[in-house]
Amino acid sequence: MNEPRRKRGAERTSNRGPAPIPQLPQRRVRNPYPPMALLSSDQIEAIHQASMHVLENFGIEVMSPRALSLFEKAGARVDHATANVRIDRGMVDEALKTTRPTYTLTPRNPANTIHLGGNTINFTLVAGPPNVHDMERGRRAGNLRDYADLTRLAQHFNCVHMLGNQVCAPVELPANSRHLDTYFTNLTLSDKSFHVSAIGRGRALDGIEMMAIARGLTLDQLREDPGIATIISVNSPRRFDEMMAEGLMTMAEFGQSVAVTPFTLMGAMSPVTLAGALAQQNAEALFGVVLTQLVRPGAPVMYGAFTSNVDMKSGAPAFGTPENTKANIASGQLARRYGLPYRTTPGSASNAADAQGAYETLMALWGAVLGHGNLVYHAAGWQEGGLTASFEKFIIDVEMIQHMMEFLRPIEVNEAELAVEALGAVPTGGHFFGEPHTLERYATAFYQPMLSNWQNFEAWQEAGGLDATARATRLWKKALEDYVKPAMDIAVREALEAYVAKRKEAIGQGEP
């Protein structure tokens, strides 16, 4: 009895041929469910008051003379000897009056517009790792070839809504100008919005200029219709370095999105308690929000959260922990308290695209969804605590993102969905396989996974016995084969090439 069934299972696998990888259609993803309230209103207020105490009495170090001047002119208490800035709650309140609860980012393809705020949720490609990995070539230093392939994968999959800042660092290129090569890659191999590097004014301004060229806009037009974003990572505890501050101010000046994100790892860069870490995160995030509004009232800004913990035995960062998940939810409550869009992150400390990598990422992803994150950064491809961009992990993450997107699709309850007639037509003890109600819907009734394998054991073994990670290798390779490069006007491409060449010559051996 088992032999025929085993053959049918093998045939189902082998006869698929060149069929495309199943994926969800492009759509704006909304979270229709109420956000989880992990903290009471009294607890949120207690965290707020603690944050105000930090800002008013301890202050934040700001290593930028330009930023110090802005704060001083606005009435902050500035100690120039220590670069310490203390702001009162009134300054915070005034800044929050000019922020926006929602805004959009328009890339060169308006169909891929990003909606930030409200109940919309967006997922991005991993950003920033110095290394890259796949199961066939192993772990290696980041390079432009892998960068381009990972960008192609992000373009191919509809559930990846936006590119991060350098999916892997192309270390073979000069550090002072390789951002130009990565921006060019983003703009030519993808037509989605992306995050620029805001390490200093020059890198931020290059991203702004190149997006304006790609969209055929002036800088003034782009200022009113932003297309790019950045992450400003606070040097926790309580420090904004000069390069980050300059990048933040440049992006705000030109009306581009900024996500102020403290790097608060409990037990290392923040108190070991979750309440203490949230109070510190909140103070640092609000401080950065104030700075954006001092530069340009109304500048688009997000509340960023990156609170997790360390392994207290080794000091190594940990992600996807229960504490990290709770922080993702609680941070969403804080963002909503201030009427700001919310950036969060799922992550994992696993060194491989394995079960640990999946369950830690999914744990943190649930926190991002329950916390009503609007921008889920590093959503696809994060491995090794952010030190490696993984091709297999990218595929595993895409599968998890698509599962989450389908979970967020509301349940329909109407006459057709209730299927009362079908219930009456099938006799007791019968089945619904041949019922018209089933036949009309069987092709689209359920989410079709691209990575999961639902064969019985014998058929799975006959087809090669590949586990999820091995199947992920096949999928990323097929996705690269199926990738379609988005069209770009030749004049626009030439203008981008000319800009890159001109800027590389101007930068030379210096900093942008």
Side-chain angles (χ1 to χ4, degrees), residues 319-334:
F319 301 99
T321 64
E323 294 78 16
N324 180 206
T325 303
K326 288 190 283 187
N328 282 354
I329 299 171
S331 296
Q333 291 184 257
L334 290 165

Side-chain angles (χ1 to χ4, degrees), residues 247-270:
L248 178 152
M249 290 186 290
T250 302
M251 292 288 285
E253 176 187 347
F254 287 90
Q256 304 306 299
S257 177
V258 172
V260 184
T261 309
F263 188 46
T264 39
L265 289 180
M266 290 179 280
M269 285 84 82
S270 72

Side-chain angles (χ1 to χ4, degrees), residues 237-441:
R238 298 186 300 118
R239 172 182 286 170
F240 279 72
D241 67 39
E242 182 173 15
M243 298 294 273
M244 283 281 102
E246 288 295 326
L248 178 152
M249 290 186 290
T250 302
M251 292 288 285
E253 176 187 347
F254 287 90
Q256 304 306 299
S257 177
V258 172
V260 184
T261 309
F263 188 46
T264 39
L265 289 180
M266 290 179 280
M269 285 84 82
S270 72
V272 73
T273 55
L274 188 49
L278 289 172
Q280 178 189 324
Q281 169 195 281
N282 198 50
E284 294 173 350
L286 290 174
F287 187 89
V289 169
V290 170
L291 181 53
T292 66
Q293 302 308 294
L294 291 180
V295 173
R296 185 171 186 265
V301 62
M302 301 188 71
Y303 185 105
F306 198 75
T307 292
S308 191
N309 56 287
V310 297
D311 177 5
M312 296 306 292
K313 296 188 291 291
S314 66
F319 301 99
T321 64
E323 294 78 16
N324 180 206
T325 303
K326 288 190 283 187
N328 282 354
I329 299 171
S331 296
Q333 291 184 257
L334 290 165
R336 289 188 295 280
R337 191 234 187 261
Y338 303 113
L340 295 168
Y342 172 39
R343 171 260 157 136
T344 183
T345 293
S348 166
S350 178
N351 296 308
D354 59 2
Q356 178 188 338
Y359 68 70
E360 288 180 347
T361 301
L362 188 57
M363 186 77 173
L365 182 59
W366 270 114
V369 171
L370 294 173
H372 268 230
N374 302 119
L375 184 68
V376 183
Y377 206 61
H378 301 300
W382 168 294
Q383 188 166 290
E384 197 186 333
L387 294 177
T388 293
S390 163
F391 281 77
E392 282 78 21
K393 183 62 162 43
F394 173 89
I395 293 295
I396 294 169
D397 289 341
V398 165
E399 182 76 284
M400 289 193 289
I401 291 168
Q402 293 195 144
H403 272 76
M404 197 62 72
M405 288 170 60
E406 282 300 279
F407 170 79
L408 292 173
R409 190 188 294 275
I411 298 173
E412 291 186 49
V413 179
N414 53 42
E415 185 176 349
E417 293 292 313
L418 287 169
V420 174
E421 290 188 9
L423 282 164
V426 175
T428 57
H431 64 75
F432 288 81
F433 286 117
E435 173 61 29
H437 186 273
T438 302
L439 296 176
E440 291 169 4
R441 294 165 174 78

Side-chain angles (χ1 to χ4, degrees), residues 54-60 71 75-79 84-88 91 287:
V54 170
L55 293 175
E56 292 175 336
N57 297 283
F58 306 154
I60 306 288
F71 276 113
R77 290 174 290 166
V78 177
D79 184 336
N84 183 269
V85 178
R86 300 180 187 184
I87 63 175
D88 61 33
M91 187 179 293
F287 187 89

Side-chain angles (χ1 to χ4, degrees), residues 34 63 71-72 94 103 113 141 161 170 215 217 220 325 337 403 406 431 433 475 477 488 498 502:
M63 303 172 70
F71 276 113
E72 192 166 43
E94 287 301 309
Y103 55 89
T113 294
H161 301 108
R215 291 177 58 193
L217 302 179
D220 283 340
T325 303
R337 191 234 187 261
H403 272 76
E406 282 300 279
H431 64 75
F433 286 117
L475 283 173
K477 293 172 73 173
M488 173 178 275
K502 180 180 178 181

Side-chain angles (χ1 to χ4, degrees), residues 47-68:
I47 292 171
H48 170 76
Q49 294 298 334
S51 301
M52 294 303 101
H53 183 86
V54 170
L55 293 175
E56 292 175 336
N57 297 283
F58 306 154
I60 306 288
E61 182 184 1
V62 181
M63 303 172 70
S64 163
R66 180 183 169 203
L68 290 175

